[in-house]
Amino acid sequence: MGLPHRFGRSVVGIALSLIACSGVRPSHVEPYREVRRGPSKATVLDSVGDATVASYPPTGFAALTPSQRALAYHLVAAAWSADSLLTMQSSRFALPAQAAVRAILAKAERLEPRLRERVLACRRYLFLYHGLHDHWTSLKITLPISQSEFERAAQSTGVAVAPELLAAMFDPKVEPMLVDKNPGPGKDPIVESAASHYQGLTSKDFETYREKYELNGRLRKENGKIIEEVYRAGDARTPPGLAASEIRHIISHLRDASAIAPAREKRALERLVTYLETGDNERMREHDIEWLTEAFPIDYAFGFILTYDDVRQRKGSFLAFVSMPDPERNGPLQALAANAAYFEQKLPFAPEHRRDVFRPPAAAAVMALAATAGAGPFGFGGINLPDAQDLKEKYGSKNAIVLSVEDTNRAVMGTRRTTAFAPAEDRAEMDRCAPYLWYALAGFHEITGHGSGKVMPSLADDPAKPLAPHFGAMEEGRADLVADYLTGDPKTVEIGVLPDTGCARVYPAAKTTMLLTNHLQVPHGDVIEEDHQRAAFIELGFLRDKGVISVERRNGDVFFVVKDPDAWRRAVGELLAEYQRIKATGDGAALRALVEKYGLRLDPKLRDEVVARNAALNLPKRIATIPPTLIPIRDGAGRVIDAKAEQTASLDAYIDLIEHANHAQ
């Protein structure tokens, strides 16, 4: 997921497709075309800190069948009910902070208007960030209300707020980092990280302890004893676990969905329900195998999947995602998937590190109908699941590029950032090719990037374990480099992923400009924590050292210039081959050396310049995308028989909807 939209190892990676790729497509496909969604269709709802919040229309939803629309509603309702799970995992103070704000606003009539608006603004922050930290930078957010104002609001409404919670909300020294992989000499990364996966443990505890529930568990230490807890609802034979009531509510909607889903999707959903009831990860593996073998018209991804918020990269943050296909822009992506075996052989991997057995992966261009917990509202550009290496190699994967995210970004941003940050000689071509370049990057990143390569039989475990805590950065960087390398292959134009050789030629300049503007994602300090960002800065540092990116100052502004696209791709291939060797062999020392050389720190002066130039353009640093609101249509017995979708018109109304789904349980 090395795209500029956050998602985990698997994302720019989840899959939802209308048609599974089951055979070879024609050698030429109509190129990806700009269709339907013009700039006027996205609506800016609000600004929350440095984020612009925008919604998009439910284009194509009315063309679904009534049963598909009803299925979409049930899956979306399950996703709405899942949002608080990520908040719970973010910090032990995140849910209590939301609860305190919710309690104050329940008696909002007691507040003067100005103070009421400050509390509402605080609510928006806590919602967008799922608590007190920015999951993209790991930094603690600064709430738009002072501690004294918050205490006054609490006192006016009779809400008791513990001093410990106030300190967590307003003292920058309390839990300053969501994830702190490099806390400094004498400090423990587990202790210094706010994420609630471990309570009372240190890194030393894991020298001998091995947990049973790696992805969906939480560990706490009491009186010297480690206690493992599991997120599960419980059933007749299994006691309930963490977040049992929240998960039961998700399950109720998933059961409604499975009752009307097509046969194979029904079987997958039934296994997902069993997993959420029991916490048994074997049931999730069974679900994944069933789910990835066929793409569904209304598809989904639910589970404890994203490992970015864990310094050990073992614990999975929950995500919930529902989508519908975008058939008008699907053809080139299907062709890319059908040619995955061809592209694998063109990669600069050692022969023993290439995959030699291929099931054509499912792939689709989609629109998000729901993106909650770890999937939103700072959306992701694509998905590739499942994460487990053995499942990928044996069964393949599902993939999607989420065009609703990119459509909204381009509608809000236009091409002004390209004009400001790209070298003058490349601007016109980059502007012409912009949507195609993003489509190619997302498609190759997911389908051929995450899905490529194999590990050596001598590597006894999934490579994520020996390569932690840097596996996520390597895997996102590897997937991006696959895209960077293969967009120069003639077949990319032949199958319609790029429309012509001009766009293939300008791709290196466009990607390099992205590496410059990527400095906006680390707005403070000089430490890089988030895996996608580390991947980007490793690529930038390596390519600069190879001399294929030159740094030039023109009229006082700095630009990254690519003068020889072919040399740029050769250097990309060199780093890509090394990444694949590291993954295939589990060479943690080599990976650590790359991260320490290029991926830990940035040049704050350059970053400050990029931030200032962007501010002068009055452009958002990032965009939170809000999906449409689905409204059920019921028969006389109360059964959902259809649904309609409306573009979300208010951020506060959307928060109301999500809060009701999470707390009216």
Side-chain angles (χ1 to χ4, degrees):
M1 275 192 301
L3 296 188
H5 316 297
R6 183 185 186 275
F7 216 59
R9 245 171 88 187
S10 36
V11 189
V12 199
I14 289 179
L16 298 105
S17 99
L18 178 62
I19 305 169
C21 297
S22 57
V24 177
R25 297 291 190 272
S27 61
H28 180 79
V29 178
E30 182 69 17
Y32 163 87
R33 293 176 296 122
E34 279 295 275
V35 295
R36 299 184 298 142
R37 293 184 183 86
S40 63
K41 297 296 180 68
T43 299
V44 173
L45 304 180
D46 213 330
S47 292
V48 179
D50 63 5
T52 294
V53 184
S55 66
Y56 53 88
T59 307
F61 187 79
L64 300 171
T65 67
S67 63
Q68 288 172 336
R69 293 193 293 262
L71 173 61
Y73 170 76
H74 288 308
L75 290 172
V76 166
W80 290 342
S81 298
D83 195 62
S84 64
L85 290 179
L86 179 68
T87 309
M88 182 183 301
Q89 294 176 296
S90 296
S91 160
R92 62 193 177 98
F93 297 109
L95 274 181
Q98 284 190 343
V101 169
R102 193 163 55 252
I104 291 170
L105 290 173
K107 300 176 182 178
E109 72 279 358
R110 300 184 185 181
L111 302 176
E112 60 180 275
R114 180 178 175 276
L115 185 57
R116 182 170 61 248
E117 180 52 42
R118 288 291 184 94
V119 179
L120 281 168
C122 183
R123 178 199 193 213
R124 295 175 196 125
Y125 270 72
L126 293 172
F127 172 77
L128 285 184
Y129 291 99
H130 289 95
L132 300 167
H133 297 84
D134 183 341
H135 289 252
W136 189 254
T137 65
S138 280
L139 298 172
K140 191 170 185 177
I141 62 174
T142 301
L143 294 172
I145 186 172
S146 69
Q147 180 171 339
S148 62
E149 288 173 322
F150 191 83
E151 290 183 276
R152 182 156 52 90
Q155 185 177 23
S156 298
T157 54
V159 175
V161 183
E164 186 183 31
L165 177 57
L166 286 170
M169 293 175 68
F170 296 103
D171 187 342
K173 296 179 182 178
V174 176
E175 295 196 342
M177 298 286 290
L178 176 67
V179 182
D180 193 347
K181 300 187 185 81
N182 301 278
K187 295 183 178 181
D188 189 300
I190 287 179
V191 174
E192 299 300 323
S193 297
S196 66
H197 305 305
Y198 313 105
Q199 298 179 7
L201 285 82
T202 68
S203 297
K204 189 174 179 60
D205 289 307
F206 295 100
E207 293 176 2
T208 56
Y209 184 82
R210 295 293 179 269
E211 64 262 58
K212 179 180 179 182
Y213 300 100
E214 279 198 332
L215 281 170
N216 60 331
R218 185 176 74 184
L219 299 173
R220 59 186 173 87
K221 197 172 186 179
E222 292 185 1
N223 300 319
K225 181 181 179 181
I226 297 175
I227 299 170
E228 184 171 16
E229 301 169 306
V230 58
Y231 289 91
R232 66 186 177 202
D235 62 11
R237 293 186 292 181
T238 310
L242 292 170
S245 62
E246 291 87 348
I247 295 173
R248 286 192 197 106
H249 208 58
I250 297 168
I251 286 171
S252 71
H253 293 297
L254 293 179
R255 284 197 172 119
D256 289 339
S258 69
I260 61 173
R264 190 151 217 161
E265 188 168 13
K266 175 183 178 68
R267 292 196 295 272
L269 284 167
E270 289 171 344
R271 287 163 172 77
L272 177 60
V273 165
T274 302
Y275 163 70
L276 291 173
E277 288 177 330
T278 65
D280 184 348
N281 284 286
E282 282 303 311
R283 305 291 80 79
M284 189 63 177
R285 284 178 63 87
E286 292 172 1
H287 163 269
D288 288 347
I289 293 167
E290 188 78 43
W291 173 80
L292 67 81
T293 53
E294 180 180 334
F296 311 126
I298 303 298
D299 221 323
Y300 66 88
F302 286 82
F304 297 90
I305 293 170
L306 304 180
T307 60
Y308 298 121
D309 293 343
D310 175 21
V311 293
R312 298 173 61 235
Q313 300 201 321
R314 299 286 200 278
K315 301 302 179 190
S317 296
F318 200 88
L319 72 87
F321 179 76
V322 182
S323 76
M324 58 172 283
D326 187 335
E328 293 185 40
R329 296 185 282 182
N330 197 40
L333 202 67
Q334 296 285 351
L336 194 162
N339 285 278
Y342 165 85
F343 285 116
E344 177 82 11
Q345 296 308 310
K346 299 303 290 287
L347 290 170
F349 300 165
E352 64 271 21
H353 298 160
R354 293 195 192 109
R355 290 182 62 182
D356 46 19
V357 177
F358 258 91
R359 172 183 290 178
V366 304
M367 183 183 84
L369 294 173
T372 64
F378 295 106
F380 49 89
I383 298 166
N384 170 278
L385 284 176
D387 277 338
Q389 183 68 25
D390 63 329
L391 290 181
K392 263 191 174 73
E393 290 188 19
K394 186 173 182 180
Y395 298 101
S397 61
K398 264 189 175 184
N399 308 266
I401 59 172
V402 188
L403 290 172
S404 52
V405 170
E406 178 60 12
D407 288 341
T408 304
N409 286 349
R410 283 192 292 108
V412 172
M413 301 276 285
T415 60
R416 287 178 293 161
R417 187 171 284 167
T418 299
T419 301
F421 287 96
E425 61 271 24
D426 296 318
R427 288 172 190 166
E429 194 72 339
M430 283 173 58
D431 186 48
R432 177 182 74 87
C433 297
Y436 311 105
L437 299 174
W438 185 89
Y439 186 96
L441 171 56
F444 275 118
H445 177 108
E446 297 306 336
I447 297 171
T448 315
H450 285 305
S452 66
K454 67 179 182 181
V455 302
M456 301 303 291
S458 58
L459 192 61
D461 215 336
D462 190 289
K465 294 182 180 180
L467 296 177
H470 303 307
F471 176 85
M474 182 216 66
E475 182 60 15
E476 294 307 325
R478 193 182 71 92
D480 251 20
L481 290 165
V482 167
D484 296 347
Y485 189 80
L486 290 177
T487 47
D489 190 280
K491 190 171 282 290
T492 301
V493 173
E494 180 185 327
I495 64 175
V497 174
L498 288 176
D500 53 54
T501 56
C503 290
R505 192 73 180 166
V506 81
Y507 177 99
K511 177 61 184 293
T512 298
T513 299
M514 184 187 296
L515 294 176
L516 176 59
T517 59
N518 191 64
H519 286 73
L520 293 168
Q521 303 301 330
V522 189
H524 308 289
D526 64 350
V527 177
I528 308 163
E529 282 288 349
E530 203 275 337
D531 285 334
H532 296 79
Q533 296 308 312
R534 286 189 170 183
F537 281 98
I538 291 169
E539 179 176 359
L540 173 61
F542 184 90
L543 295 182
R544 285 185 64 178
D545 275 1
K546 290 294 176 181
V548 296
I549 294 176
S550 60
V551 180
E552 298 183 8
R553 193 163 288 280
R554 301 176 180 181
N555 297 321
D557 290 334
V558 75
F559 293 90
F560 289 174
V561 181
V562 176
K563 296 181 177 178
D564 186 342
D566 296 326
W568 186 91
R569 281 200 169 93
R570 286 194 296 271
V572 161
E574 186 178 339
L575 179 57
L576 175 56
E578 175 62 2
Y579 268 155
Q580 180 57 33
R581 186 197 66 78
I582 289 170
K583 181 177 182 179
T585 62
D587 188 348
L591 177 57
R592 185 169 57 254
L594 277 172
V595 172
E596 290 177 352
K597 184 174 184 180
Y598 299 118
L600 295 185
R601 296 187 180 275
L602 56 75
D603 177 353
K605 291 183 179 180
L606 176 58
R607 186 272 319 287
D608 291 347
E609 177 181 335
V610 172
V611 169
R613 285 164 66 183
N614 189 74
L617 298 170
N618 196 29
L619 290 175
K621 292 179 181 176
R622 52 182 161 173
I623 297 171
T625 52
I626 305 298
T629 299
L630 268 59
I631 303 160
I633 299 172
R634 302 179 187 271
D635 63 13
R639 292 185 297 266
V640 177
I641 57 171
D642 200 346
K644 61 179 180 178
E646 297 176 350
Q647 184 169 357
T648 300
S650 161
L651 174 59
D652 287 332
Y654 182 73
I655 298 173
D656 286 342
L657 183 155
I658 299 296
E659 285 194 348
H660 178 78
N662 281 265
H663 301 290
Q665 298 178 14

